[in-house]
Amino acid sequence: MIVWINGAFGAGKTSAACELIDLIPNSTFYDPGLTGGGLRRLLPQKKLAEVTDFQDLPIWRRLVVDTAAALLAELSGVLVVPMTLLRQEYRDEIFGGLASRRIPVRHVLLSPEETILRSRIAQREEYADDPQRSARVRQWAFEHIEPYRAALGWITADAHTIDTSALTPYETAERIAEAVRTGEARECGIVQTPEPRAETVASGVLLFDEQDRVLLVDPTYKPGWEFPGGVVEPGEAPAQAGIREVAEELGLHLDTVPGLLVVDWEAPRPPAYGGLRFLFDGGRLRSEDAARLLLPGSELRGWRFVTEEEAAGLLPPTRFERLRWALRARERATVLNLEAGVPVDGR
């Protein structure tokens, strides 16, 4: 199990984590910041210059998952991880990667009042022999207060929050340990999709509203928006996999087999294995049907109908290109059907 301690820079996460490992039996401290520091020595400066924060490096997010899994395989027990995560898509990627390895995460937020947080930051001396470096650290923490406030909406919905305004690090650790022991700090409800070990076959289903906008869903377990769908199970027809996934993800039962629009090969790009990808046309949803869509809280956090232009800003490039192919194929099929006098979506 992992106890992930989140909060603003300067909220006292590391101090509380150091106290916590003495309160939770068989626990180990892991600071992902050390992984970031190592990357600064390993990666070429040209690569490092592309980002302002090591969290923006995909390799850092992958290594956090790999390192945490390796530590737990070697030491077992509980891993205490103090690390600020303000970007929801990074939380999705890291926690989703841990979930795929069957590693449960208890997410805790340390949330002192802002005046107290600012006072604590102002008093920090990270490097006693280097005042300028300490000043840069303080400035970094101050600059990230506003992003922290902006992220509170999703963090507080996800994490067990502890007001540490009047607490010492030890008292904070006691509160965390008690919340973990009683289950008040619940296991994060992320779908535990097994990590692939070879190329996969996956089916997506495109569903449209009455304005021909396409439905996208927002998974909790990986970054970026996606089409409804998922991995085809052994012995399952791709179209039937799409029907099953739509029912599981949205509570929508398709009464006809969706038509095939695109077959694409996604090349392996480590750590992803790639594989065969199908996109099907699930047809148009009436507004009353769309109003009845249901979401499993552990797997999807939201859905929305979007135009092609809006989809370009939500989908990763490979998925957006696949969508473009599918939309062009659907347009061609619509024209051919209309010319042949075949009704299309009630038209």
Side-chain angles (χ1 to χ4, degrees), residues 2-14 16-17 20 55 60 80-88 90-92 94-95 105-112 117 147-148 151-152 154-156 158-164 172 176 188:
I2 288 177
V3 178
W4 192 288
I5 305 176
N6 204 349
F9 295 99
K13 301 180 299 297
T14 299
L20 186 60
Q55 291 197 8
W60 177 80
V80 177
V81 182
M83 175 53 60
T84 298
L85 281 179
L86 301 183
R87 295 186 59 168
Q88 193 172 25
Y90 292 175
R91 173 269 191 198
D92 293 347
I94 294 171
F95 287 18
V105 179
R106 308 289 182 93
H107 190 189
V108 177
L109 171 68
L110 305 189
S111 181
L117 174 64
Y148 162 72
L152 279 176
W154 75 262
I155 298 177
T156 53
D158 186 78
H160 174 68
T161 303
I162 298 175
D163 183 348
T164 60
T172 299
I176 298 172
C188 285

Side-chain angles (χ1 to χ4, degrees), residues 135-148:
R136 288 195 298 270
V137 171
R138 289 194 295 271
Q139 184 61 32
W140 170 272
F142 281 127
E143 289 173 353
H144 283 75
I145 290 177
E146 184 55 39
Y148 162 72

Side-chain angles (χ1 to χ4, degrees), residues 25-240:
N26 197 24
S27 60
T28 303
F29 178 98
Y30 166 49
D31 180 5
L34 297 176
T35 303
L39 288 174
R40 289 195 178 100
R41 296 174 177 271
L42 293 171
L43 292 177
Q45 287 301 313
K46 181 179 179 180
K47 184 66 177 178
L48 293 171
E50 295 175 0
V51 301
T52 57
D53 186 337
F54 59 70
Q55 291 197 8
D56 296 329
L57 294 166
I59 189 175
W60 177 80
R61 302 190 295 275
R62 291 198 297 270
L63 284 175
V64 168
V65 174
D66 291 341
T67 304
L71 283 169
L72 286 173
E74 183 73 21
L75 301 170
S76 69
V78 176
L79 206 60
V80 177
V81 182
M83 175 53 60
T84 298
L85 281 179
L86 301 183
R87 295 186 59 168
Q88 193 172 25
E89 64 268 31
Y90 292 175
R91 173 269 191 198
D92 293 347
E93 188 173 346
I94 294 171
F95 287 18
L98 294 167
S100 73
R101 299 177 186 221
R102 299 296 189 265
I103 300 173
V105 179
R106 308 289 182 93
H107 190 189
V108 177
L109 171 68
L110 305 189
S111 181
E113 294 178 5
E114 186 172 331
T115 53
I116 293 175
L117 174 64
R118 288 182 176 275
S119 175
R120 290 176 181 175
I121 293 173
Q123 295 172 26
R124 289 182 66 174
E125 286 292 342
E126 293 286 324
Y127 305 96
D129 57 345
D130 191 342
Q132 289 186 339
R133 191 176 182 186
S134 290
R136 288 195 298 270
V137 171
R138 289 194 295 271
Q139 184 61 32
W140 170 272
F142 281 127
E143 289 173 353
H144 283 75
I145 290 177
E146 184 55 39
Y148 162 72
R149 286 196 308 218
L152 279 176
W154 75 262
I155 298 177
T156 53
D158 186 78
H160 174 68
T161 303
I162 298 175
D163 183 348
T164 60
S165 301
L167 300 179
T168 66
Y170 182 77
E171 290 169 335
T172 299
E174 285 185 314
R175 296 284 185 90
I176 298 172
E178 180 67 9
V180 171
R181 185 187 67 79
T182 62
E184 193 175 3
R186 300 188 304 275
E187 180 180 334
C188 285
I190 301 178
V191 62
Q192 294 188 342
T193 303
E195 191 174 50
R197 299 186 179 277
E199 291 84 353
T200 58
V201 178
S203 292
V205 179
L206 301 185
L207 299 163
F208 300 86
D209 69 0
E210 293 165 339
Q211 287 78 49
D212 268 344
R213 296 177 302 175
V214 67
L215 178 71
L216 298 183
V217 294
D218 185 12
T220 61
Y221 54 93
K222 62 180 177 181
W225 288 67
E226 182 60 280
F227 319 113
V231 174
V232 178
E233 295 180 351
E236 186 177 33
Q240 290 299 321

